[in-house]
Amino acid sequence: MPSATPLRQSLADYLAEPHADLRGRVVELLRSDPFQIPLEIDRPTHRARVLDALRVLAAEGLGSLAYPEAYGGQGAPGRAIAVFETLALGDTSILVKFGVQFGLWGGSVYQLGTESHHERWLRGIATLDIPGCYAMTEIGHGSNVRGLETTATWNDEAGAFVLQTPHPSAGKEWIGNAALHGRMATVFAQLRVGADDHGVHALVVPIRDEGGALLPGIRIEDNGPKVGLNGVDNGRIWFDEVWVPRENLLDRFATVTEEGRYESPIDSAGRRFFTMLGTLVAGRISIAAASVSAAKVGLAVAVRYSEDRRQFGPDDGLEVPILDYESHQRRLLPRVAETYALHFAVRDLAERYASVVKGRAGDRPGHGGTGSEAAPGEREDSVTSTLSASDEQVPRREGRSDEALREIEAGAAGLKALASWHAARALQESREAMGGRGYHAGNRIGRLRSDTDVFATFEGANPVLLQLVAKSLLTAYREEMGDLSVVDIVRYVADRAGTRVRGRNPVATRRTDPEHLRDPEYHLQAFEYRAERLLESAARRLKALIDDGVEPFEAFNRCQDHLETLAVAHTEWAVLRTFQAGAAGAPEEARPVLQDLARLYALERMEHDRAWFLEAGYVEPVKSRAVRAEVGALCRELRDHARVLVDGWGIPDAVLGAVDVV
C-alpha cells in the first residue's frame, strides 16, 4: 500500500485543480472572522455576521470574477464557480447570501441586461454598494415561471412600466436579501404592451432608499425563521402601482422603444423564454458543486471519527475501530465513492461550461457561483406544459457552441438533482455513523443537513429538473428520427432496441468472476444499456399513449416516473464516464485507489438498481448476488485508504468541525 502521506498530498494537489490558488485563498478566509459562525447565535446576529463576511468577499474581488474586467471582474465563470464550491465548505448562509448578491442579482443584470445596465449597476453590485435581490418565484407559482402573475404594463403617456401584484398569492416569495439588506431587485413579470402580452421579462426595480426605507408601492415581509439558512434575510415582496422607467427593462433579448413598440431579435415567445432562462444555467452547476462540498464535510468528519472510535471486538480482545465493521464500511465508503464521482462530474461540467460561454461569439459568459435564495422551484418552467415538444416550446438552437450549451444545460439539471440528493443522504449517513456523537452541534453535520436540505428544491425542484433532462433526451431523439410516419418511428425504435438487446450477452448475464465484475468497460456498458433502454421504452410508451388519443399533457403526466428514472440513469452514466476519466488522469501514486473507488461507485449503483437490471434480463440472480458481494469486497479493500481519501479533500480542521471521540 502506498505511504499515506504522499498519497494524501498527491490527492489533495490533484483534487484542488483547476484553480487551486483561488480555492486555497478562499479556504484561508474560511478560517478567519467573520466566517467562523458560532454554534449558538440568534437570527439578527447571524444575519449581521453574514453581511460582514459578504463585505470581505466583495473587498477581495471574489464576487465579481465572472463579470468583465471593465466592471471589476476577470471574465472567468469557471473561477467564480470554484469560489462558490469552496465557500460551501463553511457557513452555508454566507454561501447563499454570496450567491444571491453576486450571482442572482448581479448575474441577472449582467446576463439579461445590456451595456447601459452594466455601466449603471455592475460596479456597485461587485463592491456591495448596491445590495440587491432576484425576485422571480411567486407564492402561487413556484416551478411554473411562465405562469407568473406579476405584471409590468407599458404606459404610453408616462413612457414607463407599471408593476403590479394582482393578488396576495402573486407576491414574490423566499427572496434572498429582501427582508433587510436589498435596495434593488431584478423582478420577473408578464410584460404587457397595449393589447399584447409578451410573456415573462425582467426589470430592475428600486425597493428601498439609501437609508433602508421602503419605497412607495413596495410591501415586504420577513419570511422569519427557517429550517436552515437563518443567516439569509429571505422575504416576500408585493408591488402596488410601482412605476419603473423604460430604461430599467433588462433588454438583451427584447426591448420596448420610446414610442412603445415591442421589439425582439427572437421571434418565438417560447424560444425567447428558454433563451432567457438558459443564460442562468451556472446556478445549477454551482448548487451541484456546493452539494458535493457539503457531503465532503460530513463524510470527512464521520470517517475520521470512525477511525478513532472503538467499540466491541473479539472475545477477550481489544475493542476495534468501528470502521473495521463491514456494515459501517458499507454505510460510509460508497458515499465517499459517490462524492468523488460527483466531484469529477461537477468539475468537468463547470470547465466545459466556462469554455463554451467564453467562446460564444457575441455572447457574454454566464456568472458562475450563482447560488440561490431558498426558493421552492426557483427559476423553473412548467414541465408538463413544455414536454409536448412543439417548436414553440422546445427551441432548437443552431451552431456547435449552442448544441454544446444545450447539453450542458441538461447536464446541469441532472447533476444538480443527483448531487443535492446525495448531500442529504451522505449527511444523514454521516450523522448516524457517529452515533450519539453525531448529534453534537460541534461537528457541523446537523447545521449542514438543515442548511442544504433546500438544495433539493431551489434552482429548480429536483423532480422538475429530471423531467427537463428527459425532455432534452427525447427532443434529441425526435430530431434524430426526423419527420417519419408513425409506423416508421415504431420500426426505428424497435430496431434500435433490438441492437441494444443484442448487446446483452447471455454469457455475461451469468458471469460472476471478479475480473469481469471489476472491468470498467463492463460498468460503462451496463450504465449505457440501462440509459438507452429506458430512453427507447419511454419513447415507445409515450408514442403508444398519444397514438391511442391521449393528450400530450396527460401522456407525459402518466409517464413521469419513467422519465425521472430515465434522467437519473443518463446522468449516472455521464458521472461514471467522468469519474473513470478523472481516475485515469490522476498521478501515478493516486491512480489505483481512485480506479478502485470508481469500481465501487459503479457496482454500488448497480446494486442499488438491481431490480431494474434483473427485470431487464441484463443480469441473472446469481450475478446480482455476486455484484453485492463485490461491493463488500471493495469496501474491505478500501477501508485502509478511507482516512486518506477524505483528507485528500483538503478541508482544514478549523473549517471541518469537531471530530473528537470524547
Side-chain angles (χ1 to χ4, degrees), residues 45-62:
T45 305
H46 195 178
R47 289 176 170 183
R49 289 286 294 268
V50 167
L51 184 61
D52 288 342
L54 208 63
R55 291 192 179 103
V56 173
L57 294 168
E60 292 282 333
L62 294 174

Side-chain angles (χ1 to χ4, degrees), residues 4 53 90 127 138 180 249 337 389 554:
T127 59
E138 293 180 358
L180 289 177
L249 175 67
E554 180 59 25

Side-chain angles (χ1 to χ4, degrees), residues 246-259:
R246 184 185 67 87
E247 295 80 10
N248 284 28
L249 175 67
L250 295 176
D251 58 355
R252 179 181 175 189
F253 300 115
T255 193
V256 175
T257 67
E258 292 182 3
E259 297 75 26

Side-chain angles (χ1 to χ4, degrees), residues 535-551:
L535 176 59
E536 290 152 359
S537 59
R540 288 197 304 269
R541 185 177 171 191
L542 286 165
K543 193 65 184 173
L545 287 168
I546 292 170
D547 287 348
D548 284 345
V550 177
E551 291 295 321

Side-chain angles (χ1 to χ4, degrees), residues 114-148:
T114 49
E115 188 173 350
S116 64
H117 304 114
H118 303 162
E119 287 289 340
R120 289 167 65 189
W121 295 312
L122 271 186
R123 290 185 190 87
I125 293 171
T127 59
L128 200 57
D129 291 334
I130 308 177
C133 312
Y134 183 91
M136 176 177 276
T137 293
E138 293 180 358
I139 300 166
H141 284 77
S143 293
N144 185 8
V145 173
R146 296 184 80 168
L148 296 180

